Amino acid sequence: MYGFTTTLTGLSFDEALAKTTAALKTEGFGILSDIDVQRAMKEKLGSDMPPYRILGACNPPLAHRALQAEPDIGLLLPCNVIVREEAPGRIVVGFLDPQTMVSLVGKPGVKAVADEAESRLRRACQALGGSSAAPA
């Protein structure tokens, strides 16, 4: 179990991406990176695939606290969020569960940060209003 997802229907990929970004912003996350996997696979391999983006979401106060607790935590930052088209009009949005960091690092200071990050990301996920799936 390393993440949680929601599935959005009746939206275009771009609408779902914008909605996801807005939900993250409401919870204090900015987007540090935006990897267009679909474009990369086309350019590097000539392979076609449905739209797929990896968003590197960061809440600066939480990241700062995590770095204070464990300087090497940067290896696990930022919080990755995926937005991928499963079928036309059916978009899956997945969030990395910050508790994954706790299991890897095992430091008490990281646990408190992961708890808050998880709460914020779960609220962002719920705000999207899709149907939830079993944890990834």
Side-chain angles (χ1 to χ4, degrees):
M1 308 278 191
Y2 53 87
F4 46 94
T5 66
T6 190
T7 301
L8 308 178
T9 56
L11 296 175
S12 71
F13 181 82
D14 288 337
E15 290 168 332
L17 184 63
K19 189 173 182 177
T20 301
T21 301
L24 289 165
K25 184 177 182 180
T26 297
E27 291 297 332
F29 290 88
I31 305 302
L32 294 180
S33 61
D34 181 350
I35 302 168
D36 186 336
V37 177
Q38 178 190 40
R39 184 179 64 205
M41 293 299 117
K42 183 66 174 174
E43 288 176 1
K44 304 295 183 190
L45 302 175
S47 179
D48 290 318
M49 66 178 290
Y52 191 118
R53 300 281 272 279
I54 304 171
L55 305 176
C58 178
N59 178 299
L62 293 178
H64 184 259
R65 286 175 43 205
L67 289 163
Q68 296 301 307
E70 172 53 60
D72 291 334
I73 198 83
L75 292 166
L76 302 172
L77 297 177
C79 296
N80 281 333
V81 177
I82 62 163
V83 181
R84 64 180 180 83
E85 185 179 76
E86 191 171 65
R90 185 173 170 82
I91 312 300
V92 174
V93 181
F95 298 79
L96 176 68
D97 187 342
Q99 297 303 328
T100 304
M101 290 187 296
V102 175
S103 66
L104 293 173
V105 177
K107 290 200 175 180
V110 173
K111 171 82 170 108
V113 176
D115 289 347
E116 185 174 342
E118 179 185 8
S119 293
R120 290 173 178 266
L121 290 172
R122 285 192 183 275
R123 284 193 303 266
C125 183
Q126 291 170 352
L128 295 175
S131 59
S132 295

